[in-house]
Each structure stands twice: as structure tokens, then as C-alpha cells.
Amino acid sequence: SKEIPLDEEDKWENSEYFSSYGQLKLHSEMLTDVPRTSTYSLAIQSALPWLQDKVVLDVGSGTGILSLFCARYGKPKKVYAVEASDIAVYSRETVSKNGYEDVIEVIQGNINDISLPHHQVDWIISEWMGTLLLFEFMIESVINARDKFLKPDGMIWPSEAELFLIPCSALSAYNGSMGIWKDVYGFDFSPYLSLAADTLTGKPIYNHTLSPDECLSEPFTILQLNMKTVTVSQLEDIRTAYDFLVKRSGMLHGFASYFTVHFSHLPHPHTPVTLSTSPQSKPTHWKQDLLLLDSPLQLEEGQRLKGTIKLTRHKLWRRHLRVTLTYSVWEDDTELNEAVTKIYRLWR
Amino acid sequence: SKEIPLDEEDKWENSEYFSSYGQLKLHSEMLTDVPRTSTYSLAIQSALPWLQDKVVLDVGSGTGILSLFCARYGKPKKVYAVEASDIAVYSRETVSKNGYEDVIEVIQGNINDISLPHHQVDWIISEWMGTLLLFEFMIESVINARDKFLKPDGMIWPSEAELFLIPCSALSAYNGSMGIWKDVYGFDFSPYLSLAADTLTGKPIYNHTLSPDECLSEPFTILQLNMKTVTVSQLEDIRTAYDFLVKRSGMLHGFASYFTVHFSHLPHPHTPVTLSTSPQSKPTHWKQDLLLLDSPLQLEEGQRLKGTIKLTRHKLWRRHLRVTLTYSVWEDDTELNEAVTKIYRLWR
Ligand SMILES: [Ca+2]
Ligand SMILES: [Ca+2]
């Protein structure tokens, strides 16, 4: 309850969080996510020869794959692989097994607590993205690492991140959550509708696969982060107004979100590398996130869908956030419905 | 730890168990599982006109769908829908909404604790099947309900259940769990192998979809239950020897299991109704269960795969069980490898 004061450990639920990242299944999923892992590999290869003799910090290094890419391709002076979960023990062994124990030092600990033999680093690399880009707020560890360890002219990768919103059809997801209750084998199950709106559509569906032809408009950029300058306080309360032009008539069941991250700002010419989780890109383990409406809306080409989206970080549970979505449909200068507001929780 | 004595509530983890079944997502999945739900509907329709004026007990009635089928088709005297989770509140409202409040009485409670206005019932119906048929041991509630409430000449549905085992190829599941570590983008990740054998293949993969052409032999029946006579003590420790004739050469990555349940013993002629989760049947939300080996084995047509399977219910955590699988390959009268034993936990 909100009345009970929590200590820092509780607020971050670190023992829960790091024990889940101590589980190998998650790492197996991330490693076998080829668009994710090979994009990091390609990006690191684009950083040569700048990487030579540099000191690198890999924040939340997991199995150590990003550190190993750096060591293999880049001749860095040192790579610090910082990982709080028990997977650190295995990643240290893997570093040795592959002959990189002189280059990569695995440090098991929380980035906020540790110190580094090299007090400053040239480069921070991390894979911190989650549901709705921000969920679990691992990004705060990366920002803290930057403020604590990165040289003023150092680089941070990803260098930029963007979060997109797009109105979409999602018939089978809608039916599985809301549509089903109207007629269950001929019975009226509508008493479950309020519970469904609270518990099923009340949080984002984070394992949704959107097909490009279900998108009813071009995406809207609801958040743009420069990783070199973004501050933690900027992430506490994010508000954006959006205005979608409907490109394709169809049923609006919800809004999908996805993100891109970029690997740029190298001091030498290079091919810009981007990792995207858009429905047009190769599927990643993030898939897309879906914010389902309680009631679908028929949209016609040429109408506009206007509203606001708020991402509010939970004040108490620091890894959680809420999305508040307000929307209405416009034709020319007429608002066709009263604006609807719905709140989605991840997870509190 | 095993040293600490647990009370009954702990052993069954009922608050955890019933709160998960209080979640609507699970019920939505079960209701939209057409082979499951429509088979129950068909079976109930095959029970007419025997159902007329009978007293029915629906054990773990969830959303109430089975009770509603009985009420709609069968003209029963009374249906008691007993459900321990909070979903009971919504199912009571749904019963009224559909005009069956005089026939169906929803009772929120644990079957072991409640009493019924009719002390005895003619018919028990339930959907209690889980991973490896038995996991979560809801079957014990059904057996207890039978011993407590069923008339000596009463019926219980499902009337029989069978659990099958089948040796199979499962390349991508194997690679995701064990195969991946040998070569991760050219790195040797073998230090993760022991952890993978403990945590990834050390429990059944319960959401596996086996295709019929991955089956290397005919299935073997490892358990057959007559629901009218089975006792709880018979489920504590189940051991079977198996002997598979290899019908198709291929890589053995593991053993899949699936189950069937039957709806029979009606006192009038009827079409026997069966629900099967075999790879040949229409996919259900149970899919198949997969017990992965740590190392695959090449099998050749005509060889035999012999061994034993044990299902040992956890002495302390009453919803959990362990599978102990021992296997070796035979050609004619020669054992080609030393017998391998592997233990799978669900989940303790
Ligand atoms: Ca992540
Ligand atoms: Ca079940």
C-alpha cells in the first residue's frame, strides 16, 4: 500500500529483477534474436578503428556478448562488463574460455555501487530497451553510468532512441481480450467485460505481432532521446499530443508502439546502424506493444485521430510506469466522438 | 527448505493457485480453446436425456461454461458450480444474466470445505487436466469430490484419462535450450551448458507444438486412469517401463507427452466423445509437453528405445511433481549406449 514507506531496494525490486535476468531462458531468447544481436555486432564493427585502445563499459552485460564483440573486433584497452545477476559468474568463465580474460573484466554488481580501476571510460555500450522502450527503467542505470564514468567527450551506444505510436487493427487480440465476452457459445458473458477492461486491456500486451497492413496511419514519434544528454528527471513524466491522419479505413482496436535505437556519433565516416522493432522490420523478441481499446472505433480514410499520450513513471515502484491515452476522431473540424481516456499499467 | 514444517495451506499454495485462476486471461484462453470447450459441449449433449432431473457438481467451475452447457441442454434438477477463486462472483452474475439462476448455484469455496444442499450428486463434471495431465493436482479435488458427494451409481466426467509418451525430434527447441551454447556468433559459450541442463532442460517445456512428422515412433501409454476408481495414493508414485520401436530414423531430442480424456459410461447408447491433445489432433491450449535431452541421439529405423519413466509427486509441495526418465537405445539384443537418466521438475 502507498502508506508504507519503502526502502530503495524495495522500490527497485532488484532481487526480483536481477534474479529473472539470472535466468538463462531470457538470455537464450536475446541471443537468438538475430536482428538484435547482429545489429549490435554490426554497429560495433562500424566503430573500428576508433575502438582501438579505448576503455569500454558494458552496462548490464548479461552473457557478455557485447563485450566479446568489442574485444574480438576492436582491440580495446579494456572492457568492463558490469552485470548484477548471477549470470556474471558464467560470463566470466566464458570470457576466459574464449581467451579474452586480459581484455574483458567481468564485475558482478550494480552499476551504482561499483568502482572501476579506470575511473573514466571512453565508451558505454548497453542493451537496456524494454516494453514501451522504458519499462523496467534499466535506462536509469545507463544514465547513471554515463554521469559517473563517461569522459566528457566519450560516446554512449545506443546514441539515440525513439518511441513510436501507431493506430491499428488487432482483431484477434481484441477478440481474445474483449470481443469474446459478448457471445461465448451463445451465452452472454458480459459480466466479465468490466474485469476484462481492468485486467486484460488495462495493461499493454507486450508480445503482440502487428502486421504492416493492420496499421491505419503513419507512425507518430512520441519520444526522442539523446542518450548523451537525457536526464532521469526527463523520464518521470512524458506527455505528447498526437495527430494521426487515417490512411486506410478500418477498425481501430488499439495503438501499437515500437522503438528504434541508433548507433552513431562516431568521429569517422561510417554506415549509420539502426535497430528497429517496427512491424516493417525483421521480428525481434520485443515484437510490438499493443494498447487495446475497450471498444473499437471504425475509422475512415482522411479522418484524423487526435489525442495525447502520457508516460508516467511510478513514483513508488521505480521500474513501473503508466500510460494514459486520450483519443477522439475528427472529420474536418468536427470531433465525432467524445474524447476517451484509458490508463494502462506496467505493472502497477 | 525441507526443514521447515509447512501447514496444509502452504503445501497446496492455494492462495497463489486460486489467484492465478482468478485471472481472466487464463479463462479467456480456455474458452477460446475450441477443441477443449466444444468437446465438453458435445459430450454434454451426448448425455441427454440422461441428464434430466439429475444433480450435477461442476468441480472448479471457473467461468461456469460447463454448468451453463448442462443447464442449457440437459434439464438437470440442479447444477452446483464450485469455484474457489474470485471468478466465482462474475460467474454467478453470468448465470443470472443468462436466466439460469434457478438451476445453477455458484458456490465460492474449496471443494474440501463446502457442503451441498443435496448431499449427494448424480454426476461430477470437471476440467482438471494440466501439464503432463497431472500437474497442479486439481485431480485430487475431483477425487475428493467424488468420494464426498457422488452417489455410488453416479457418473464422473471425464470418465477415463490417458497419458502418452512419444520419442521425437525437436530441433529448434533443442537449439534454443542446449544447441545454442556451442557456438554463439563464433564464441564458445559452453560454460552455460551445465546451467542450461539444470534450468532449461531440467523442466518440461509445456508450450511445445510437436508436428506429427517429428514423431519417431508410435506413442506409449504411460498412465491410464479410471476416474470412478482411481485413488489419490495411486498418483503419488507412478512408474512404467516403455519399449519404443523406432519407425523413422532421425535425431532424438526428447520425449513429448500428451493426454486424452474420455466421456463415456452413459447408461444409453451414445457416440463416445474424446478430447485429445495429441500432435495429430486439433491444437489445444495445452499443446504438447516436451522433455528435452541434454544430448541428442541419432536413432535408426528398427532400433528400440527402452527405459522407464517415473512420475513422483512432491511430498511437500502437493501441486508439484518430478519426472525421472531413463533411456537407452537397443539394436537386436545389444544396448548401444549406457542408460541415461534425467530428472525434470514441475516446478520443485
Ligand atoms: Ca531488455
Ligand atoms: Ca486446466
Side-chain angles (χ1 to χ4, degrees):
Chain A
S1 132
K2 289 204 179 182
E3 315 302 313
I4 302 165
L6 299 168
D7 65 22
E8 270 310 302
E9 190 59 18
D10 293 332
K11 288 182 184 172
W12 283 88
E13 302 168 283
N14 278 342
S15 59
E16 207 180 312
Y17 176 74
F18 291 122
S19 86
S20 79
Y21 279 88
Q23 281 168 14
L24 204 54
K25 189 72 204 152
L26 215 56
H27 292 289
S28 160
E29 272 166 26
M30 293 190 289
L31 290 170
T32 53
D33 176 346
V34 173
R36 166 197 179 270
T37 305
S38 67
T39 301
Y40 270 86
S41 172
L42 269 175
I44 289 164
Q45 291 175 61
S46 80
L48 320 177
W50 175 85
L51 244 174
Q52 196 165 340
D53 292 323
K54 294 295 195 296
V55 179
V56 179
L57 170 58
D58 179 355
V59 179
S61 52
T63 57
I65 186 68
L66 304 188
S67 294
L68 286 163
F69 285 145
C70 291
R72 174 198 274 163
Y73 296 122
K75 300 201 185 72
K77 186 189 288 174
K78 198 80 201 169
V79 181
Y80 295 107
V82 178
E83 170 59 38
S85 87
D86 289 341
I87 215 81
V89 176
Y90 297 89
S91 90
R92 192 177 291 127
E93 207 183 320
T94 302
V95 164
S96 298
K97 187 102 192 172
N98 290 275
Y100 292 109
E101 67 272 31
D102 294 338
V103 182
I104 301 173
E105 183 175 337
V106 177
I107 301 173
Q108 183 170 8
N110 191 310
I111 198 80
N112 300 317
D113 304 330
I114 58 135
S115 60
L116 298 179
H118 289 87
H119 301 293
Q120 296 248 284
V121 305
D122 299 290
W123 203 31
I124 288 174
I125 188 159
S126 181
E127 194 277 85
W128 50 265
M129 298 81 74
T131 298
L132 282 161
L133 185 63
L134 296 176
F135 178 60
E136 289 187 321
F137 284 90
M138 181 178 165
I139 190 175
E140 181 163 329
S141 297
V142 178
I143 293 171
N144 290 345
R146 181 196 69 194
D147 294 345
K148 197 172 164 187
F149 295 117
L150 190 65
K151 289 180 186 167
D153 62 346
M155 292 218 317
I156 182 166
W157 268 18
S159 46
E160 296 110 357
E162 285 142 3
L163 181 63
F164 300 95
L165 192 69
I166 191 160
C168 65
S169 296
L171 183 62
S172 72
Y174 180 80
N175 279 344
S177 294
M178 296 300 292
I180 166 184
W181 310 108
K182 279 163 202 160
D183 179 350
V184 175
Y185 289 83
F187 296 109
D188 176 355
F189 269 44
S190 58
Y192 292 97
L193 274 172
S194 62
L195 188 60
D198 271 4
T199 62
L200 299 187
T201 66
K203 46 185 188 182
I205 294 173
Y206 58 88
N207 54 357
H208 183 71
T209 299
L210 185 68
S211 101
D213 62 5
E214 291 173 317
C215 299
L216 302 178
S217 157
E218 295 299 312
F220 199 90
T221 309
I222 54 173
L223 180 62
Q224 239 177 335
L225 300 178
N226 178 335
M227 291 302 293
K228 194 74 189 276
T229 56
V230 64
T231 63
V232 169
S233 69
Q234 288 168 353
L235 303 176
E236 299 289 324
D237 205 352
I238 295 157
R239 293 155 190 260
T240 315
Y242 57 77
D243 180 352
F244 291 106
L245 172 64
V246 178
K247 293 258 175 169
R248 194 174 72 70
S249 299
M251 215 48 151
L252 177 76
H253 293 109
F255 294 81
S257 98
Y258 64 88
F259 62 81
T260 59
V261 294
H262 304 282
F263 303 86
S264 55
H265 301 322
L266 279 168
H268 64 259
H270 65 285
T271 310
V273 175
T274 293
L275 171 60
S276 172
T277 64
S278 92
Q280 274 83 16
S281 304
K282 280 191 193 139
T284 70
H285 78 290
W286 288 284
K287 304 180 183 172
Q288 286 87 42
D289 304 315
L290 178 63
L291 307 167
L292 276 175
L293 311 185
D294 292 341
S295 312
L297 273 176
Q298 174 66 37
L299 294 185
E300 302 300 338
E301 194 184 325
Q303 290 178 336
R304 306 200 78 96
L305 186 63
K306 299 189 202 185
T308 55
I309 183 166
K310 278 198 298 179
L311 303 176
T312 316
R313 189 173 180 189
H314 202 294
K315 295 276 173 291
L316 213 59
W317 302 99
R318 299 309 283 155
R319 295 200 184 277
H320 298 241
L321 69 101
R322 289 184 188 177
V323 181
T324 308
L325 204 62
T326 301
Y327 55 91
S328 60
V329 183
W330 291 73
E331 196 160 281
D332 306 321
D333 291 333
T334 313
E335 194 171 12
L336 299 184
N337 66 313
E338 247 187 294
V340 181
T341 296
K342 186 160 167 77
I343 295 174
Y344 305 86
R345 289 157 209 256
L346 301 89
W347 301 119
R348 286 193 169 97
Chain B
S1 130
K2 289 205 177 180
E3 315 302 312
I4 304 165
L6 300 167
D7 65 21
E8 270 310 303
E9 190 60 18
D10 293 331
K11 287 182 186 174
W12 283 88
E13 302 167 282
N14 276 344
S15 59
E16 207 181 311
Y17 177 75
F18 291 122
S19 87
S20 79
Y21 280 88
Q23 283 168 13
L24 204 54
K25 189 72 205 153
L26 215 57
H27 292 290
S28 160
E29 272 167 25
M30 294 190 290
L31 290 170
T32 53
D33 176 347
V34 173
R36 166 197 179 270
T37 305
S38 68
T39 302
Y40 270 86
S41 172
L42 270 175
I44 288 164
Q45 291 176 61
S46 81
L48 321 177
W50 175 86
L51 245 173
Q52 196 165 342
D53 292 324
K54 294 294 193 298
V55 179
V56 179
L57 170 58
D58 179 355
V59 179
S61 52
T63 55
I65 186 69
L66 304 188
S67 295
L68 286 163
F69 284 145
C70 292
R72 174 197 275 162
Y73 296 121
K75 300 200 186 73
K77 185 189 289 174
K78 198 79 201 168
V79 181
Y80 296 109
V82 179
E83 170 59 37
S85 87
D86 288 342
I87 215 79
V89 177
Y90 297 88
S91 92
R92 191 178 291 125
E93 206 182 321
T94 302
V95 163
S96 298
K97 187 102 192 172
N98 289 276
Y100 292 109
E101 67 272 30
D102 293 339
V103 182
I104 301 173
E105 183 174 337
V106 177
I107 300 173
Q108 183 170 8
N110 190 310
I111 197 80
N112 301 317
D113 305 329
I114 59 136
S115 60
L116 299 179
H118 289 87
H119 301 294
Q120 296 248 283
V121 305
D122 298 289
W123 203 32
I124 288 174
I125 189 160
S126 182
E127 194 276 87
W128 51 265
M129 299 82 74
T131 298
L132 281 162
L133 184 62
L134 297 176
F135 178 62
E136 289 186 321
F137 284 90
M138 182 178 165
I139 190 175
E140 180 162 332
S141 296
V142 178
I143 293 172
N144 290 345
R146 180 197 69 194
D147 294 346
K148 196 171 165 187
F149 295 116
L150 192 65
K151 287 180 188 167
D153 63 345
M155 290 216 320
I156 182 166
W157 269 16
S159 46
E160 296 110 357
E162 286 141 4
L163 181 62
F164 300 94
L165 193 69
I166 192 159
C168 65
S169 296
L171 184 63
S172 73
Y174 180 80
N175 279 344
S177 294
M178 296 299 292
I180 166 185
W181 309 108
K182 280 164 203 160
D183 179 350
V184 176
Y185 290 82
F187 297 108
D188 176 355
F189 269 43
S190 58
Y192 293 97
L193 273 172
S194 63
L195 187 61
D198 271 4
T199 60
L200 299 187
T201 65
K203 45 186 191 182
I205 294 172
Y206 59 88
N207 54 356
H208 184 71
T209 299
L210 185 69
S211 101
D213 62 6
E214 291 173 316
C215 299
L216 302 178
S217 158
E218 296 299 313
F220 199 91
T221 309
I222 55 173
L223 179 62
Q224 240 177 331
L225 301 178
N226 179 334
M227 291 301 293
K228 193 74 188 274
T229 57
V230 64
T231 63
V232 169
S233 69
Q234 288 167 355
L235 303 176
E236 298 288 326
D237 204 353
I238 294 156
R239 293 156 192 259
T240 316
Y242 57 77
D243 180 353
F244 291 105
L245 173 64
V246 178
K247 293 257 175 168
R248 194 173 72 69
S249 300
M251 215 48 152
L252 177 75
H253 293 109
F255 294 81
S257 99
Y258 63 90
F259 62 81
T260 59
V261 295
H262 304 281
F263 303 86
S264 55
H265 302 322
L266 281 167
H268 64 259
H270 65 286
T271 310
V273 174
T274 292
L275 171 60
S276 172
T277 64
S278 93
Q280 273 84 17
S281 304
K282 280 191 194 139
T284 71
H285 78 289
W286 288 283
K287 304 181 182 172
Q288 286 87 40
D289 304 315
L290 177 63
L291 307 167
L292 274 177
L293 311 185
D294 292 341
S295 312
L297 273 175
Q298 174 66 36
L299 295 185
E300 303 299 337
E301 193 184 326
Q303 291 177 335
R304 306 200 79 96
L305 187 62
K306 298 190 203 183
T308 55
I309 183 166
K310 278 198 299 180
L311 303 177
T312 316
R313 187 172 180 189
H314 202 294
K315 297 276 171 293
L316 212 61
W317 301 98
R318 300 308 284 155
R319 296 201 184 277
H320 298 241
L321 69 100
R322 290 185 189 176
V323 181
T324 308
L325 203 63
T326 301
Y327 56 92
S328 60
V329 184
W330 291 73
E331 196 161 281
D332 304 324
D333 291 334
T334 311
E335 194 171 11
L336 299 184
N337 65 313
E338 248 187 292
V340 181
T341 296
K342 186 162 166 77
I343 295 174
Y344 304 86
R345 289 155 208 257
L346 300 90
W347 301 119
R348 288 191 170 99

PDB file of all heavy atoms in Angstrom, chain A residues 21 30 127-130 285-286, ligand 1:
ATOM      1  N   TYR A  21      16.832 -11.919 -14.555  1.00  0.00           N
ATOM      2  CA  TYR A  21      17.890 -11.833 -15.549  1.00  0.00           C
ATOM      3  C   TYR A  21      19.033 -12.802 -15.249  1.00  0.00           C
ATOM      4  O   TYR A  21      19.979 -12.909 -16.007  1.00  0.00           O
ATOM      5  CB  TYR A  21      18.405 -10.393 -15.697  1.00  0.00           C
ATOM      6  CG  TYR A  21      17.486  -9.588 -16.579  1.00  0.00           C
ATOM      7  CD1 TYR A  21      16.401  -8.907 -16.054  1.00  0.00           C
ATOM      8  CD2 TYR A  21      17.662  -9.583 -17.960  1.00  0.00           C
ATOM      9  CE1 TYR A  21      15.524  -8.206 -16.867  1.00  0.00           C
ATOM     10  CE2 TYR A  21      16.793  -8.886 -18.783  1.00  0.00           C
ATOM     11  CZ  TYR A  21      15.727  -8.198 -18.228  1.00  0.00           C
ATOM     12  OH  TYR A  21      14.855  -7.525 -19.040  1.00  0.00           O
ATOM     13  N   MET A  30      17.368 -13.571 -26.034  1.00  0.00           N
ATOM     14  CA  MET A  30      18.017 -12.357 -26.532  1.00  0.00           C
ATOM     15  C   MET A  30      19.130 -12.706 -27.511  1.00  0.00           C
ATOM     16  O   MET A  30      19.294 -12.054 -28.544  1.00  0.00           O
ATOM     17  CB  MET A  30      18.552 -11.534 -25.364  1.00  0.00           C
ATOM     18  CG  MET A  30      17.420 -10.959 -24.505  1.00  0.00           C
ATOM     19  SD  MET A  30      17.962  -9.737 -23.269  1.00  0.00           S
ATOM     20  CE  MET A  30      18.835 -10.755 -22.094  1.00  0.00           C
ATOM     21  N   GLU A 127      22.457  -2.698 -23.772  1.00  0.00           N
ATOM     22  CA  GLU A 127      21.170  -3.035 -24.376  1.00  0.00           C
ATOM     23  C   GLU A 127      20.161  -3.005 -23.241  1.00  0.00           C
ATOM     24  O   GLU A 127      20.066  -3.938 -22.468  1.00  0.00           O
ATOM     25  CB  GLU A 127      21.240  -4.409 -25.054  1.00  0.00           C
ATOM     26  CG  GLU A 127      20.064  -4.679 -25.968  1.00  0.00           C
ATOM     27  CD  GLU A 127      18.855  -5.198 -25.220  1.00  0.00           C
ATOM     28  OE1 GLU A 127      18.073  -4.363 -24.685  1.00  0.00           O
ATOM     29  OE2 GLU A 127      18.692  -6.423 -25.181  1.00  0.00           O
ATOM     30  N   TRP A 128      19.461  -1.896 -23.158  1.00  0.00           N
ATOM     31  CA  TRP A 128      18.627  -1.602 -21.983  1.00  0.00           C
ATOM     32  C   TRP A 128      17.148  -1.494 -22.330  1.00  0.00           C
ATOM     33  O   TRP A 128      16.312  -1.246 -21.469  1.00  0.00           O
ATOM     34  CB  TRP A 128      19.089  -0.276 -21.363  1.00  0.00           C
ATOM     35  CG  TRP A 128      19.200   0.849 -22.380  1.00  0.00           C
ATOM     36  CD1 TRP A 128      20.335   1.237 -23.040  1.00  0.00           C
ATOM     37  CD2 TRP A 128      18.141   1.680 -22.890  1.00  0.00           C
ATOM     38  NE1 TRP A 128      20.055   2.259 -23.923  1.00  0.00           N
ATOM     39  CE2 TRP A 128      18.717   2.555 -23.859  1.00  0.00           C
ATOM     40  CE3 TRP A 128      16.756   1.781 -22.636  1.00  0.00           C
ATOM     41  CZ2 TRP A 128      17.957   3.499 -24.562  1.00  0.00           C
ATOM     42  CZ3 TRP A 128      16.017   2.722 -23.337  1.00  0.00           C
ATOM     43  CH2 TRP A 128      16.618   3.563 -24.287  1.00  0.00           C
ATOM     44  N   MET A 129      16.794  -1.695 -23.610  1.00  0.00           N
ATOM     45  CA  MET A 129      15.434  -1.384 -24.057  1.00  0.00           C
ATOM     46  C   MET A 129      14.422  -2.456 -23.612  1.00  0.00           C
ATOM     47  O   MET A 129      14.702  -3.649 -23.651  1.00  0.00           O
ATOM     48  CB  MET A 129      15.401  -1.272 -25.581  1.00  0.00           C
ATOM     49  CG  MET A 129      16.279  -0.167 -26.140  1.00  0.00           C
ATOM     50  SD  MET A 129      18.036  -0.660 -26.259  1.00  0.00           S
ATOM     51  CE  MET A 129      17.959  -1.764 -27.676  1.00  0.00           C
ATOM     52  N   GLY A 130      13.240  -1.996 -23.244  1.00  0.00           N
ATOM     53  CA  GLY A 130      12.200  -2.919 -22.797  1.00  0.00           C
ATOM     54  C   GLY A 130      10.858  -2.586 -23.431  1.00  0.00           C
ATOM     55  O   GLY A 130      10.784  -1.819 -24.393  1.00  0.00           O
ATOM     56  N   HIS A 285      12.674 -10.148 -30.456  1.00  0.00           N
ATOM     57  CA  HIS A 285      11.999 -10.716 -29.279  1.00  0.00           C
ATOM     58  C   HIS A 285      11.124  -9.676 -28.581  1.00  0.00           C
ATOM     59  O   HIS A 285      10.280 -10.036 -27.772  1.00  0.00           O
ATOM     60  CB  HIS A 285      13.020 -11.315 -28.302  1.00  0.00           C
ATOM     61  CG  HIS A 285      13.742 -10.319 -27.465  1.00  0.00           C
ATOM     62  ND1 HIS A 285      14.677  -9.443 -27.971  1.00  0.00           N
ATOM     63  CD2 HIS A 285      13.654 -10.030 -26.142  1.00  0.00           C
ATOM     64  CE1 HIS A 285      15.149  -8.680 -27.009  1.00  0.00           C
ATOM     65  NE2 HIS A 285      14.541  -9.015 -25.881  1.00  0.00           N
ATOM     66  N   TRP A 286      11.314  -8.396 -28.898  1.00  0.00           N
ATOM     67  CA  TRP A 286      10.426  -7.374 -28.332  1.00  0.00           C
ATOM     68  C   TRP A 286       9.056  -7.375 -29.011  1.00  0.00           C
ATOM     69  O   TRP A 286       8.101  -6.853 -28.461  1.00  0.00           O
ATOM     70  CB  TRP A 286      11.044  -5.973 -28.493  1.00  0.00           C
ATOM     71  CG  TRP A 286      12.210  -5.669 -27.616  1.00  0.00           C
ATOM     72  CD1 TRP A 286      12.157  -5.367 -26.278  1.00  0.00           C
ATOM     73  CD2 TRP A 286      13.601  -5.599 -27.988  1.00  0.00           C
ATOM     74  NE1 TRP A 286      13.420  -5.120 -25.812  1.00  0.00           N
ATOM     75  CE2 TRP A 286      14.335  -5.247 -26.834  1.00  0.00           C
ATOM     76  CE3 TRP A 286      14.293  -5.798 -29.182  1.00  0.00           C
ATOM     77  CZ2 TRP A 286      15.726  -5.103 -26.841  1.00  0.00           C
ATOM     78  CZ3 TRP A 286      15.678  -5.646 -29.188  1.00  0.00           C
ATOM     79  CH2 TRP A 286      16.371  -5.307 -28.036  1.00  0.00           C
TER      80      TRP A 286
HETATM   81 CA    CA C   1      15.946  -5.767 -22.418  1.00  0.00          CA
END
